[in-house]
Amino acid sequence: MLKPLSLTVSLALCGAAVAEQQDDVLAHAKALTQQHILVDGHIDVPYRVNEQWVDVTQATEGGDFDYPRARQGGLNAPFMSIYVPAELDASAESTALAHKLIDSVEAIVGRAPDKFAIATSVADVEEQFKQGLISLPMGMENGSPVQGSLATLKAFYDRGIRYITLAHSQSNHISDSSYDLRRKWKGLSPFGKEMVREMNALGMMVDISHVSDAAFYQAVEISTAPVIASHSSLRSFTPGFERNMDDDMIKALAENGGVVMINFGSTFVDQVARNWRNQFSQARKPVEQQYGEDSEQAQGFEAQYREEKPFPFAGVAKVADHIDHVVKLVGIEHVGIGSDYDGVGDSLPQGLKDVASYPNLVAELLRRGYSDDDIAKLLGENLLRVWREVERVAAEHNSNKS
């Protein structure tokens, strides 16, 4: 007669089976990220290498992106963010910096044309994927460098810019910002409205991340092509944080045919992390006012504060919750990935610390019942669909002109 297995042995066998199943799911997730085009709507490599040069065509010590890690994570179409800080708004320096950052993307490709290629169209991305190259399309974060000139807008299009985030942390000559209490334009400026129309005509995606709610609705109303949120998460998880999108905005974006690309930053996806950030900012304010924001005293205060009150990192599941919410609200066709790697500092969630980590998110979604087709849409097909429609609208516009 066989003796029953002990409880300890039974639990051990059960645990081993679960671990094996988890390994199988992760292996499948890794395969999916390699098989499909993976578009990330927003990665801040150009500003990172401008601040301190590092060769991202090779493995790097710091940062969130380099070629080996991108290959490991299946990333093959990261939008390089041409980010211009708001303090440079209304200055010639903002335009000069934008061109310099575009130069840096071209330099990455020049160093390793066997690894990277500039992409200015959906066709480029698809062809370069077949060739085994990582495409580097570009989007401009903050429209300040346009300087109120449609000719300058066209010049940036000619240099490869394929979306523009209309504003950043302050309202500019194009749009009010979600971070700026001064709502000078009550949405878009007169030039901003004209610029949206011209972006449609050129074939540039309109990016509504960072803008005020009023500017969002005006952009959606004016644009004859779908718009995107290149790196935004959802306000239902972070009440009062206008930088994220509320449910009505997501519905309007979907009706427009657009896509919201989820930002990975812990303070974007989790209210606990958001509260920590708010409390820390308030606590450090007197030190900044006395010594300066970048002073040794302010940095020392932050180090001590973090030691006493560790930052509450979100996890992969919380990012997946945001994706779930969009899918339940408007469908799988209107959500994508906009990690903000190299742009959100050390606030990235556990399990999503760099560009090698996308399979962890895919595995979580597979465990939640997402199909392989769903994953393919999320990874890149949704954004490519929008981009293709933007190209079609521009082609139609130019055809009508002639």
Side-chain angles (χ1 to χ4, degrees), residues 332-333 335-336 372-383:
I332 187 66
E333 293 79 11
V335 65
D372 289 5
D373 287 344
D374 291 337
I375 298 300
K377 290 177 181 177
L378 165 78
L379 291 179
E381 288 178 4
N382 290 338
L383 188 281

Side-chain angles (χ1 to χ4, degrees), residues 256-300:
N256 165 267
V259 59
V260 52
M261 309 181 81
I262 301 300
N263 190 313
F264 288 178
S266 290
T267 57
F268 284 79
V269 298
D270 186 46
Q271 187 60 39
V272 175
R274 179 104 235 120
N275 290 341
W276 185 97
R277 178 71 68 194
N278 291 338
Q279 291 163 7
F280 164 73
S281 297
Q282 284 298 114
R284 191 175 68 165
K285 189 174 291 184
V287 181
E288 291 179 346
Q289 290 173 342
Q290 183 174 356
Y291 299 104
E293 185 176 346
D294 298 322
S295 64
E296 290 183 14
Q297 291 86 345
Q299 293 173 8

Side-chain angles (χ1 to χ4, degrees), residues 37-46 65 74-83 125 135-142 160-165 205-210 227-232 243 259-264 335-343 355 358 361 377-384 386-387:
I37 295 176
L38 199 169
V39 179
D40 190 316
H42 191 91
I43 293 185
D44 278 294
V45 166
F65 174 98
L75 177 63
N76 38 52
F79 269 85
M80 296 285 98
S81 172
I82 305 304
Y83 162 63
V125 172
S135 295
L136 298 182
M138 289 181 283
M140 180 183 290
E141 185 178 25
N142 187 2
I161 296 297
R162 288 301 177 267
Y163 77 66
I164 294 181
T165 316
M205 289 177 280
V206 176
D207 178 21
I208 54 74
S209 288
H210 281 283
V227 306
I228 66 169
S230 69
H231 59 305
S232 294
R243 169 67 176 81
V259 59
V260 52
M261 309 181 81
I262 301 300
N263 190 313
F264 288 178
V335 65
I337 290 172
S339 65
D340 214 349
Y341 279 134
D342 278 326
V355 294
Y358 299 104
L361 177 59
K377 290 177 181 177
L378 165 78
L379 291 179
E381 288 178 4
N382 290 338
L383 188 281
L384 294 179
V386 170
W387 191 358

Side-chain angles (χ1 to χ4, degrees), residues 294-310:
D294 298 322
S295 64
E296 290 183 14
Q297 291 86 345
Q299 293 173 8
F301 176 86
E302 179 171 356
Q304 183 177 349
Y305 189 94
R306 284 178 174 270
E307 186 175 340
E308 295 173 358
K309 299 178 181 179

Side-chain angles (χ1 to χ4, degrees), residues 75-154:
L75 177 63
N76 38 52
F79 269 85
M80 296 285 98
S81 172
I82 305 304
Y83 162 63
V84 176
E87 56 262 30
L88 299 182
D89 287 0
S91 73
E93 191 178 350
S94 73
T95 306
L97 177 58
H99 281 294
K100 183 181 179 184
L101 297 182
I102 295 171
D103 291 343
S104 74
V105 178
E106 293 175 345
I108 290 169
V109 173
R111 278 176 168 265
D114 58 325
K115 298 176 180 177
F116 296 103
I118 300 292
T120 60
S121 67
V122 175
D124 284 349
V125 172
E126 292 174 337
E127 180 57 33
Q128 288 158 9
F129 176 68
K130 292 176 185 175
Q131 295 173 8
L133 297 170
I134 293 179
S135 295
L136 298 182
M138 289 181 283
M140 180 183 290
E141 185 178 25
N142 187 2
S144 171
V146 172
Q147 302 287 3
S149 165
L150 296 183
T152 302
L153 177 70
K154 175 63 162 57

